[in-house]
Amino acid sequence: MTRPVTARVPAKVNVQLAVGGLRPDGFHDLANVFLAVGLHDEVTATPADTLRITVEGADADQVPLDHTNLAARAAAALAERHGIEPGVHLHIAKDIPVAGGMAGGSADAAGALLACDALWDTKASRDELLQICADLGSDIPFSLVGGAALGRGRGELLTPLETGGTFHWVFAVADGGLSTPAVYRECDRLREASGGGAGAADVPDPEPSQALLDALRSGDATALAAAVSNDLQPAALSLRPALAATLRAGADAGALASLVSGSGPTCAFLAKDPEAAQAVAAALAASGTCRTVRITSGPVPGARLVDA
Ligand code: ATP
C-alpha cells in the first residue's frame, strides 16, 4: 500500500494499580486494572526511504524523534520480524499528555504497529502484534486491546473485563511529566523508609479488588469510586507535593473519586454524570492547580485504523 495509513489509539487510566514488591529482575508484579479513555493520539505511516518520526501537539517538544521513540521501536520490531527495511515516516498527532501516566508512548507504539502492518501488508496476527507490544513495554498490549482489562505480571498479561456502562472522567494535566521508573523507585524508597521493606517477600502479592471488578461490570460509578486505588499515588505525591492541591480541588468540586493516574502527574476524577464532570472541570480550571483540564469518558476501543 502506498497511501498513508492512520491509526487512532486511546489513553488509559488505571482504576486499580496494586504494586507488589521489587522483583530480582527490577520489575514489580502488578494487579493493574486499565480503562481506555477518549483522549487519543493518531499515528500516520507514509512510505519513506528511512525510518523518520515527526510529532505535532502541545507536548511535541518533549517527545524524542530518534530510534528511542516507542513508535519507531515498534515499527523497527515489526520490520525485523518480517525481514523488511523499516522505510516509513511516522507522524504522531499527540493529544495524550507526555510522561503523564496515561500511556501516551505506549499508545504511539501500538498505533505505529497497526499502521505499519497495514502499510507494509505484513499481515501480522493479533497474537504476533500483542507479542511485539509486550516485548516493547508493559502497558503497550493494553493500548492495542483497549476497553477495560486486568493486567498481571508486569501488567502485560491481559484479561479483558466486562463493563456495564460508560464512566465519566475529568483529567487535570500537570505542568511537566514524571518519569515512571523514578516513581517506582520512590515507591520502593517509601516502603523501605516505613520499615516494611520493598522486596517481593515484604509486600503482599497484588490482587485485583473484587468490588472494583463488580463495579466495572455493573457500570456503577459510585461503587467504582469507592473501590479505585493506586499504590503509586504516595510516591507521585512525594515527588510532586503540589498534586495534593489538585486532588483536593476536584474532590471539593464533587468528584466521586480523585486519584493520580498511573505514575502521574495527571490526576483523574470520576464524575457521576456528564453534568457533574463539567462542574468538576470548571472548578479545576479555576483552581489554578493544573495546566489543562480534559473531560472524557471510557471505556473506548483500543488502537484501530481510521480513514485519514
Ligand atoms: P505510562 O503511563 O505508560 O507509565 P507515561 O504516559 O507516563 O507512561 P509516556 O508519555 O509514555 O509516559 O512517556 C514516557 C517517556 O517516554 C517520555 O518522557 C519520552 O521521553 C519517552 N517516549 C518515547 N517515545 C515516546 C512517544 N512516542 N511519545 C511520548 N513519549 C515517548
Side-chain angles (χ1 to χ4, degrees), residues 71-142:
R73 293 181 53 205
L78 180 69
E80 190 181 337
R81 270 177 174 256
H82 290 267
I84 57 176
E85 285 300 316
V88 65
H89 169 206
L90 296 171
H91 180 73
I92 302 171
K94 211 156 198 9
D95 196 34
I96 304 174
V98 174
M102 299 192 75
S106 300
D108 300 344
L113 262 189
L114 265 198
C116 288
D117 182 50
L119 187 78
W120 296 333
D121 202 25
T122 33
K123 296 191 169 59
S125 67
R126 193 75 176 164
D127 281 351
E128 182 183 351
L129 292 176
L130 282 169
Q131 186 58 55
I132 299 173
C133 288
D135 290 345
L136 288 169
S138 309
D139 286 354
I140 303 177
F142 180 71

Side-chain angles (χ1 to χ4, degrees), residues 12 14 41 53 55 62-64 68-72 92 94 96-109 139 178-180 184 261-265:
K12 58 85 182 166
N14 307 84
D41 281 359
I53 303 276
V55 183
Q62 296 165 50
V63 178
T68 65
N69 189 296
L70 281 165
I92 302 171
K94 211 156 198 9
I96 304 174
V98 174
M102 299 192 75
S106 300
D108 300 344
D139 286 354
L178 273 176
S179 146
T180 303
Y184 274 99
S261 177
S263 54

